[in-house]
Amino acid sequence: MSGLEPGRLSLNTATVREQWGLAEAIEGCARYGIGGISPWRDKLHEMGVDAAAKAIRDAGLGVSGLCRGGWFTERGAIDAEVRNDNRRAVDEAAALGAECLVMVVGGLPKGSKDLPAAWSLVEEGLAETLDYARKAGVKIAIEPLHPMYAADRACVNTMGHALDICDRLGDGIGCAVDVYHVWWDPELETQLARAGKERIMAFHICDWLVPTRDMLTDRGMMGDGVIDIPGIRGLVEAQGFDGLNEVEIFSALDWWKRDPDEVLATIVERGRSVC
Amino acid sequence: MSGLEPGRLSLNTATVREQWGLAEAIEGCARYGIGGISPWRDKLHEMGVDAAAKAIRDAGLGVSGLCRGGWFTERGAIDAEVRNDNRRAVDEAAALGAECLVMVVGGLPKGSKDLPAAWSLVEEGLAETLDYARKAGVKIAIEPLHPMYAADRACVNTMGHALDICDRLGDGIGCAVDVYHVWWDPELETQLARAGKERIMAFHICDWLVPTRDMLTDRGMMGDGVIDIPGIRGLVEAQGFDGLNEVEIFSALDWWKRDPDEVLATIVERGRSVC
């Protein structure tokens, strides 16, 4: 499989979150020929949704996703605050014309050890948000996070579990497939085939470093770790996925410390050489 | 479900590995009424297999397992060194009368990104070792490790994957179920039922801390984290498992720094109160 030209890449703003605001990230993508962007909402709110939508449009960028809705378990119930924040996220995704709203569903409620109860709360929140999102024409993408985040970030940790939820909830909901979270899963190929084009709504790339020095902020640049990125991309594309390849690297120990132009130049080079 | 009296607990020597050799751990178990022990092989070799077997017998302790065989991917092939080390481990398990030889199967070979190839190597190694173990009357227990260890410790990370291997290999092989590794898995209940009594060969307890500060050596004492230990124990016992509850806590940041008598007293207290 040949590598990825920059026009097939998207920059998740988390990758340069310590260096750049959204306006600078949009300009950076345009400068390096990167085809799209995926803003985090904190960056989006700083810039303003309308200004961001216009700047992204003017730069000719796609929007591979908006990060993120979810956190359904944070308050122990789907209350007005949780519900309204997710509706706002849907509205923002619509305003940006994002391919999907990415959902980080939340872990165990504080003080709880009841994982099945957390799963129920997540499904309740997804169902409500999906209902709203369908009317807004926004697709909802559950991002199964690596099982090491089950307690404190997301209690949906496999494609299989995410797709079980999708099957129960129907159209308009699918998965954001991030190689960092799913590369280890012996069911990955089977579950990607089960997902099919309809339910593969986003594809995120980075790498798993050995050793990993921090559970949250030590993701690697593509090629620096052990993930077979072309292999997984091949499985995703075999299902018909033809969206952007979104680069999302949390790296307090390395890439967040570097000149952001070096980060983008490296992304472009690695896209071609190792993805 | 009522708690665990100390006679139903076993001490994995890793829990006090910085403080005690095997002889002291055996004496400690006897002193606190703990029903069994599970030695790591480094501690076993220091003491000597025959001396250890005699001391364990004299103390009236069960041996809930021997840690560990495996590491089949370490050298990129099942060569004489890997084969012979696993045979020695089987012989040692037989000499101790251990309930099982626990297998940590190994991660990706150095420089490899080929997970399916690693899986094949693991299955080849397990098949060879199982053949030898059957003649020695030793049971082989695959320990699925948490997916965060897929690259560097064990590329079998779910009960489902482990049981697929067991089904292909036949009798005499099963799983060591460690709550730390499997608590997050939405398939856990289904896969424990699939395993049944025959394939649940060991049950390990500790806790998942939030936050987890180190991926390897920050496991928690039972009750200090988010794992529903009585719930998982209930699932295991519903299958007929009636072995010892083995306490294995890697804790460089806390319990390895404490007086080992405090560690054992706490284990006994927590066994009764939260397990």
Side-chain angles (χ1 to χ4, degrees):
Chain A
M1 182 181 295
S2 58
L4 293 166
E5 287 304 306
R8 298 187 59 198
L9 298 175
S10 173
L11 179 70
N12 183 297
T13 62
T15 304
V16 288
R17 80 169 196 197
E18 299 299 317
Q19 302 102 319
W20 275 348
L22 180 53
E24 292 163 301
I26 293 166
E27 292 161 19
C29 287
R31 199 157 61 245
Y32 285 88
I34 291 172
I37 196 159
S38 176
W40 274 60
R41 291 179 68 208
D42 55 343
K43 300 284 182 185
L44 181 65
H45 297 165
E46 278 168 26
M47 186 171 183
V49 177
D50 293 340
K54 181 175 187 316
I56 292 169
R57 228 172 16 243
D58 291 350
L61 300 177
V63 180
S64 54
L66 175 65
C67 289
R68 56 184 165 59
W71 290 95
F72 297 115
T73 56
E74 183 73 354
R75 297 165 57 80
I78 310 301
D79 62 9
E81 186 168 322
V82 171
R83 183 177 298 120
N84 291 336
D85 185 60
N86 276 285
R87 289 180 175 194
R88 272 194 301 274
V90 168
D91 293 339
E92 291 163 9
L96 294 179
E99 291 292 330
C100 60
L101 172 63
V102 174
M103 290 290 185
V104 173
V105 299
L108 288 168
K110 205 165 177 62
S112 169
K113 302 186 184 191
D114 190 343
L115 203 47
W119 295 334
S120 295
L121 209 51
V122 164
E123 195 158 331
E124 180 189 341
L126 285 169
E128 283 203 19
T129 309
L130 179 60
D131 190 49
Y132 185 83
R134 282 180 182 140
K135 293 167 194 152
V138 169
K139 291 191 282 186
I140 296 292
I142 304 169
E143 184 167 7
L145 293 202
H146 194 284
M148 70 186 171
Y149 304 123
D152 50 359
R153 304 199 152 253
C155 62
V156 174
N157 306 102
T158 59
M159 286 287 297
H161 188 183
L163 291 171
D164 286 349
I165 295 172
C166 292
D167 284 350
R168 287 190 290 266
L169 298 186
D171 291 339
I173 187 163
C175 293
V177 180
D178 186 321
V179 298
Y180 192 76
H181 299 305
V182 304
W183 73 274
W184 59 271
D185 186 354
E187 290 286 311
L188 182 59
E189 184 168 356
T190 307
Q191 296 298 335
L192 287 172
R194 173 185 169 198
K197 184 177 181 179
E198 284 301 303
R199 296 227 197 263
I200 300 176
M201 295 180 172
F203 181 56
H204 297 185
I205 55 177
C206 68
D207 217 332
W208 180 279
L209 299 177
V210 178
T212 293
R213 297 161 294 174
D214 183 274
M215 282 172 58
L216 188 58
T217 60
D218 195 26
R219 298 193 195 181
M221 177 63 67
M222 297 81 75
D224 289 344
V226 299
I227 300 178
D228 176 14
I229 299 170
I232 299 178
R233 179 162 75 84
L235 296 176
V236 165
E237 292 181 358
Q239 298 306 321
F241 178 80
D242 55 5
L244 294 166
N245 298 263
E246 180 177 326
V247 178
E248 184 179 34
I249 306 174
F250 291 72
S251 173
L253 299 168
D254 189 349
W255 297 95
W256 287 350
K257 294 179 178 169
R258 302 206 196 191
D259 179 330
D261 275 278
E262 181 193 350
V263 179
L264 265 61
T266 307
I267 287 170
V268 168
E269 187 273 309
R270 297 295 177 84
R272 288 187 170 120
S273 63
V274 302
C275 292
Chain B
M1 182 181 293
S2 58
L4 292 166
E5 288 303 307
R8 298 188 57 197
L9 298 174
S10 173
L11 178 71
N12 183 297
T13 62
T15 305
V16 289
R17 80 168 196 198
E18 299 300 317
Q19 300 103 319
W20 276 346
L22 181 53
E24 292 164 301
I26 293 166
E27 292 161 17
C29 287
R31 199 156 63 243
Y32 286 86
I34 290 171
I37 196 159
S38 175
W40 275 58
R41 291 177 68 208
D42 55 343
K43 299 285 182 186
L44 180 66
H45 297 165
E46 277 170 25
M47 187 173 183
V49 178
D50 292 342
K54 181 175 188 313
I56 291 169
R57 229 174 14 245
D58 290 350
L61 300 177
V63 180
S64 53
L66 175 64
C67 290
R68 55 189 164 61
W71 289 94
F72 296 114
T73 57
E74 183 73 354
R75 297 165 57 81
I78 310 300
D79 63 8
E81 185 168 322
V82 172
R83 183 177 298 119
N84 290 336
D85 185 60
N86 275 286
R87 290 181 175 193
R88 272 194 301 275
V90 168
D91 293 339
E92 292 163 9
L96 294 179
E99 290 293 331
C100 59
L101 173 62
V102 173
M103 290 290 184
V104 173
V105 298
L108 288 167
K110 206 167 178 63
S112 169
K113 302 185 184 193
D114 190 343
L115 203 46
W119 295 334
S120 295
L121 209 52
V122 163
E123 195 157 331
E124 180 190 342
L126 285 169
E128 283 203 19
T129 309
L130 179 60
D131 190 49
Y132 185 84
R134 282 180 181 140
K135 292 168 196 154
V138 168
K139 289 191 284 187
I140 297 292
I142 304 170
E143 184 167 9
L145 294 201
H146 194 283
M148 68 185 174
Y149 304 122
D152 51 359
R153 304 199 153 255
C155 62
V156 174
N157 305 102
T158 59
M159 286 287 297
H161 189 183
L163 290 171
D164 286 348
I165 296 172
C166 292
D167 284 350
R168 288 190 289 268
L169 298 186
D171 292 339
I173 186 164
C175 294
V177 179
D178 186 319
V179 297
Y180 192 77
H181 299 305
V182 304
W183 73 275
W184 59 272
D185 186 353
E187 290 286 312
L188 182 59
E189 184 167 356
T190 306
Q191 296 298 335
L192 286 172
R194 174 185 170 198
K197 184 177 182 179
E198 284 303 302
R199 296 228 196 262
I200 300 175
M201 295 179 171
F203 182 55
H204 297 185
I205 55 177
C206 67
D207 217 332
W208 180 280
L209 298 177
V210 178
T212 293
R213 297 161 293 174
D214 183 276
M215 282 172 60
L216 188 58
T217 60
D218 194 26
R219 298 194 194 180
M221 177 64 66
M222 296 81 74
D224 289 344
V226 299
I227 302 177
D228 176 13
I229 298 170
I232 300 178
R233 179 162 75 83
L235 296 176
V236 165
E237 292 181 358
Q239 298 305 321
F241 178 80
D242 56 4
L244 294 166
N245 298 263
E246 181 176 323
V247 178
E248 183 179 35
I249 305 174
F250 291 71
S251 174
L253 299 168
D254 189 350
W255 297 97
W256 286 350
K257 293 180 179 171
R258 300 204 195 192
D259 178 330
D261 275 280
E262 181 193 352
V263 178
L264 265 62
T266 306
I267 287 170
V268 168
E269 187 272 310
R270 297 293 177 87
R272 289 186 169 123
S273 62
V274 301
C275 293

